[in-house]
Amino acid sequence: MKTRITELLGIQYPILQGGMAQVAEHHLAAAVSEAGGFGILGAAALPAGAVREEIRKVRELTDKPFGVNIMLMSPYAEEVACMAAEERVAAVTTGAGNPEKYLKKWQDAGVKVIPVVASVALAKRMERCHVDAVIAEGMESGGHIGSQTTMTLVPQVVDALSIPVIAAGGIADGRGFAAARMLGADAVQMGTRFVVSREAAVHPDYKARVLKAKDIDSEVTGLSTGHPVRCLRNKMTREYLRLEKEGASFEELEHLTLGGLRRAVIDGDVMNGTVMAGQIAGMIAKEQSCREIIEEIMASAEELLGYRTVG
Ligand code: TUI
């Protein structure tokens, strides 16, 4: 399936892997790119040196293109942005903010730029700055989210822009992929389905929690602080939501989640840690390799979209 995104990134399948904090390290990014998708390292709150090491490790595992996600709220965003230009990674994706001040640096270095947008306004602004594509991410996603759903955001961004749009949030199988294409997207980005991939260096208890999640197990913390984060319900979310209802201070709430993602992903503390996952977790039933995931989705989507018939 050729789209403007497979052409832009030089990849076989129009599937990107979300640059998830703690989760999207070199094994995962390399496995997704090797399987014909677009792997992305999550720089999250890492300093530039650590991200550079990760880039080198991906390059040892694959010669296929891959990207780096820069979380703009990170205290190291600026140094990571400069490093990504120096390393001339194939593409940079950004999240949780407006990347305008870094665009020229990346564009001068020939790095493709694909910001995550959560509104039509930011999407239009990004197109005016000549970015290569945008990721329209709905609030079905795990982690830090905006307020619109994928179903409503994607077609509005598609209508407002001429550049390619990548749909993200709530997509984890061939049906979701096909639906995103129907909404006008040229590719999808998935996070949660790759969290439970065999190659993801995620604690087995975290994967087990995602696999056992039901449709209604998803919560959003931080709505009152302006930093909404979607994760799976546990002791931490119950306590957080209780404190939030009581009008607890930002500091009190922060204290509860400090280092929580690491505790969950690395230590496997899925009761007290932050188990970030999208709403689609309820549908994901088994651990598979990245290749199996991508090939299964593409086969199903191609059939649904009439690219090929079975039998
Ligand atoms: O960034 C994400 N997802 C994330 S970042 C993250 S790390 C974190 N950990 C704990 C607390 C908070 C963050 C975990 N998950 N997704 C991309 C994304 N970007 N979602 C929403 C947005 C967004 C929101 C507003 C992008 C741009 C934006 O624009 C604001 C502006 O300045 O116009």
Side-chain angles (χ1 to χ4, degrees):
M1 189 184 296
K2 266 194 187 175
T3 73
R4 288 185 292 171
I5 291 296
T6 58
E7 298 298 289
L8 176 74
L9 297 174
I11 53 177
Q12 192 178 357
Y13 303 119
I15 296 180
L16 287 75
Q17 160 250 313
M20 300 163 282
Q22 298 288 342
V23 172
E25 48 73 79
H26 61 279
H27 296 101
L28 181 60
V32 170
S33 288
E34 265 299 293
F38 194 71
I40 298 178
L41 287 170
L46 295 172
V51 183
R52 199 192 294 271
E53 296 257 301
E54 285 289 300
I55 291 172
R56 303 259 157 93
K57 286 178 182 165
V58 179
R59 287 180 174 150
E60 280 169 22
L61 293 171
T62 184
D63 45 23
K64 301 257 170 67
F66 64 94
V68 173
N69 173 264
I70 301 179
M71 209 271 283
L72 296 166
M73 290 191 301
S74 163
Y76 301 107
E78 173 119 34
E79 63 175 58
V80 175
C82 295
M83 182 279 299
E86 280 166 27
E87 290 287 331
R88 294 180 194 274
V89 292
V92 158
T93 63
T94 63
N98 180 343
E100 232 163 288
K101 66 176 176 180
Y102 307 121
L103 295 180
K104 191 174 177 325
K105 200 179 285 293
W106 296 325
Q107 287 161 341
D108 286 351
V111 173
K112 308 265 183 343
V113 183
I114 312 181
V116 169
V117 298
S119 69
V120 170
L122 185 61
K124 284 167 92 166
R125 205 177 159 100
M126 291 295 98
E127 182 173 61
R128 281 200 297 275
C129 297
H130 309 290
V131 303
D132 297 278
V134 297
I135 301 168
E137 186 184 289
M139 51 86 87
E140 294 93 324
S141 302
H144 176 69
I145 52 171
S147 57
Q148 292 207 68
T149 63
T150 303
M151 185 75 138
T152 57
L153 181 65
V154 172
Q156 294 186 79
V157 172
V158 165
D159 285 351
L161 269 50
S162 308
I163 56 174
V165 176
I166 298 157
I171 301 165
D173 70 359
R175 294 168 299 180
F177 181 104
R181 295 283 285 145
M182 289 290 115
L183 295 176
D186 273 292
V188 301
Q189 175 174 279
M190 301 191 303
T192 309
R193 180 101 190 240
F194 286 121
V195 169
V196 295
S197 68
R198 204 160 290 142
E199 293 91 343
V202 168
H203 195 285
D205 292 355
Y206 195 113
K207 290 186 183 177
R209 178 69 191 94
V210 172
L211 291 173
K212 96 159 202 253
K214 294 194 295 291
D215 55 347
I216 56 170
D217 285 352
S218 191
E219 299 276 21
V220 179
T221 60
L223 279 167
S224 67
T225 67
H227 294 287
V229 171
R230 182 179 298 287
C231 49
L232 292 174
R233 181 186 303 115
N234 62 7
K235 189 158 166 265
M236 182 284 290
T237 64
R238 274 190 280 270
E239 179 70 0
Y240 193 108
L241 295 171
R242 186 182 64 77
L243 283 172
E244 222 175 357
K245 210 186 276 175
E246 288 170 4
S249 68
F250 182 73
E251 287 72 27
E252 236 179 309
L253 293 167
E254 276 284 291
H255 180 71
L256 199 60
T257 53
L258 201 68
L261 182 61
R262 192 187 158 79
R263 273 203 299 287
V265 175
I266 309 295
D267 308 335
D269 183 357
V270 295
M271 284 313 298
N272 304 294
T274 307
V275 187
M276 291 187 191
Q279 280 185 313
I280 204 67
M283 196 187 71
I284 303 171
K286 59 177 187 284
E287 187 184 52
Q288 289 169 294
S289 70
C290 291
R291 190 174 296 279
E292 284 166 347
I293 291 170
I294 290 172
E295 288 181 356
E296 185 180 292
I297 290 173
M298 290 311 301
S300 159
E302 285 178 358
E303 194 188 331
L304 290 167
L305 294 167
Y307 280 71
R308 64 181 175 199
T309 48
V310 169

